[in-house]
């Protein structure tokens, strides 16, 4: 684990992944996936992807530092979040809520409010900082409450809850499972590209009461760490209503799924392939559903058998436009998979 951390900070992600795959780690951790995605993207990874990865790596680093400040923030936020529900690991790519928000709340406080991100970028992992655009202004970025306004492809409009100021940022799944008017707490950072703003990490979903509490604290001077940690603990708890209901596989599969299982697919793969078929129908009805549809299709296509079946079943000439639409509303490995399926569909169209 120690070698994996060191390799990650040096930018040797292939070696970091190899080390991590040989080390015991919590089931459901996203660290493996983050490393695997960056390794797979290689030179095609964009600065905003490096930025998200760099902030995640900084969060892993800062929570392990044997410093009184770190221990105090962890204790205060954890105590204030007592009673939070939900899984420990994120359910969605674009935001966190409940217990999954605990680590982001701690890391955000230490990295941004206490400026420890600057230490990471300059002294610990300058290679990662360079690949993500330098991060010169990141540590000074205040945490704010943002209202989700609307999404168009890879662009998301958000509004500052306190001032009404609007920003156009890169959409990284923040509206999947949420909707216009929902509130999130996070830090917007500048990165090379267009649009040039992203959330540094998946923001925390909050309710109106917590939003007002955090905004009142932002006006306080001097900085009150305990009050800040207490408010962030409340923010962790406030997202409980947004959890997805657990998926039940104990009941009889739907007829649609049974047909796919009859073709030799297991129950889970059949459920995921049914999701692909649902996505195809949803996009035919409304292209505005593309960002949410792309997320669900991306999750399904991460299963190798499902991807193979999608290549076999859904790469006719009539499918090219669908995959192009999903690629235009997604990022990273998901976008690469959609593009591959679109190219296969185009090949069939040209052949016919």
């Amino acid at each position: 684990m120690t070698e994996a951390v060191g390799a990650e900070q040096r930018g040797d992600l292939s070696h970091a992944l190899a080390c991590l795959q040989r080390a015991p780690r919590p089931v459901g951790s996203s660290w493996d996936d983050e490393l695997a995605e960056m390794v797979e993207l290689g030179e095609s990874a964009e600065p905003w992807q490096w930025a998200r990865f760099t902030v995640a790596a900084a969060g892993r680093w800062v929570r392990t530092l044997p410093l009184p400040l770190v221990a105090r923030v962890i204790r205060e936020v954890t105590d204030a979040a007592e009673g939070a529900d939900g899984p420990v690991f994120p359910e969605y790519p674009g935001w966190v809520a409940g217990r999954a928000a605990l680590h982001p709340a701690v890391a955000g406080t230490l990295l941004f409010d206490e400026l420890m991100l600057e230490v990471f970028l300059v002294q610990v992992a300058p290679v990662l900082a360079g690949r993500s655009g330098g991060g010169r202004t990141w540590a000074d970025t205040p945490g704010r409450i943002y209202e989700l306004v609307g999404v168009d492809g890879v662009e998301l409009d958000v509004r500052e809850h306190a001032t009404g100021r609007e920003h156009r940022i890169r959409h990284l799944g923040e509206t999947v499972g949420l909707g216009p008017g929902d509130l999130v707490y996070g830090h917007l950072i500048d990165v090379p590209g267009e649009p040039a703003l992203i959330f540094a990490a998946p923001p925390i979903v909050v309710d109106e009461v917590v939003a007002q509490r955090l905004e009142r604290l932002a006006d306080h001077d001097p900085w009150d760490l305990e009050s800040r940690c207490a408010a962030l603990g409340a923010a962790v708890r406030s997202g409980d209503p947004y959890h997805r209901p657990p998926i039940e596989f104990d009941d009889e599969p739907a007829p649609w799924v049974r047909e796919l299982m009859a073709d030799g697919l297991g129950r889970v793969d059949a459920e995921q392939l049914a999701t692909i078929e649902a996505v195809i129908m949803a996009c035919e009805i409304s292209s505005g559903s593309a960002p949410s549809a792309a997320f669900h299709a991306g999750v399904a296509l991460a299963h190798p058998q499902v991807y193979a079946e999608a290549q076999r079943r859904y790469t006719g000439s009539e499918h090219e436009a669908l995959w192009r639409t999903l690629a235009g509303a997604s990022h990273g490995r998901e976008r690469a998979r959609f593009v591959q399926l679109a190219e296969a569909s185009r090949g069939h169209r040209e052949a016919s």
Side-chain angles (χ1 to χ4, degrees):
M1 291 289 285
T2 301
E3 189 170 349
V5 170
E8 175 179 72
Q9 293 168 359
R10 295 191 304 272
D12 187 356
L13 304 191
S14 296
H15 184 58
L17 181 60
C19 292
L20 193 62
Q21 290 172 338
R22 297 195 302 269
R25 58 203 180 280
V27 176
S29 170
S30 61
W31 189 7
D32 306 61
D33 288 339
E34 291 171 9
L35 282 168
E37 178 170 8
M38 298 304 293
V39 170
E40 183 176 327
L41 291 172
E43 295 299 321
S44 66
E46 300 176 55
W48 67 264
Q49 290 167 314
W50 279 109
R52 253 303 174 83
F53 181 82
T54 298
V55 174
R60 289 187 278 272
W61 162 78
V62 75
R63 289 194 300 269
T64 63
L65 294 179
L67 298 175
L69 174 63
V70 174
R72 182 181 176 190
V73 168
I74 292 174
R75 182 187 62 198
E76 296 292 341
V77 175
T78 302
D79 287 351
E82 181 67 29
D85 198 5
V88 175
F89 298 106
E91 297 178 274
Y92 293 95
W95 50 269
V96 288
R99 289 192 296 167
L102 190 56
H103 283 173
V106 169
T109 299
L110 292 168
L111 293 176
F112 292 94
D113 299 341
E114 300 299 329
L115 302 180
M116 296 183 75
L117 181 57
E118 192 75 2
V119 178
F120 184 79
L121 296 174
V122 175
Q123 295 182 318
V124 178
V127 172
L128 296 183
R131 293 176 182 176
S132 54
R136 284 184 174 273
T137 63
W138 293 2
D140 297 326
T141 305
R144 291 196 174 101
I145 303 293
Y146 296 94
E147 176 187 348
L148 303 180
V149 177
V151 62
D152 180 16
V154 298
E155 296 184 343
L156 170 67
D157 292 319
V158 298
R159 181 183 298 116
E160 289 185 25
H161 186 253
T163 67
R165 181 185 177 192
E166 293 196 1
H167 304 271
R168 174 152 289 195
I169 69 174
R170 184 175 288 271
H171 172 49
L172 301 178
E174 288 86 1
T175 61
V176 176
L178 300 178
D182 283 327
L183 303 176
V184 297
Y185 171 81
H187 301 78
L188 290 183
I189 59 174
D190 285 297
V191 293
E194 187 63 37
L197 287 173
I198 62 169
F199 278 112
I204 301 172
V205 181
V206 300
D207 59 24
E208 180 69 33
V209 174
V210 168
Q212 294 183 14
R213 183 176 177 181
L214 283 166
E215 285 167 352
R216 287 194 300 269
L217 284 173
D219 296 330
H220 285 187
D221 191 26
W223 191 259
D224 186 341
L225 181 63
E226 289 187 5
S227 297
R228 188 72 172 181
C229 290
L232 287 171
V236 170
R237 293 197 313 271
S238 73
D240 285 352
Y242 290 90
H243 295 309
R244 286 184 289 187
I247 299 174
E248 298 289 348
F249 288 115
D250 296 334
D251 57 346
E252 185 69 17
W256 193 1
V257 175
R258 284 203 301 271
E259 292 180 12
L260 296 174
M261 293 174 67
D263 290 342
L265 292 174
R267 173 70 183 268
V268 174
D269 284 343
E271 296 274 3
Q272 296 295 341
L273 191 60
T275 297
I276 296 294
E277 295 190 357
V279 162
I280 292 173
M281 289 189 293
C283 288
E284 288 175 348
I285 296 171
S286 170
S287 61
S289 64
S292 180
F295 160 70
H296 293 292
V299 171
L301 292 175
H303 297 246
Q305 184 64 31
V306 175
Y307 183 76
E309 287 294 319
Q311 283 184 308
R312 186 170 71 87
R313 296 168 182 259
Y314 311 124
T315 52
S317 57
E318 70 276 16
H319 294 115
E320 181 182 0
L322 162 76
W323 298 123
R324 298 286 184 199
T325 297
L326 295 180
S330 58
H331 307 276
R333 282 187 298 181
E334 289 75 19
R335 180 173 61 187
R337 291 189 178 113
F338 296 144
V339 170
Q340 289 168 0
L341 292 169
E343 290 298 317
S345 301
R346 186 179 72 172
H348 287 176
R349 175 173 55 82
E350 292 175 348
S352 62

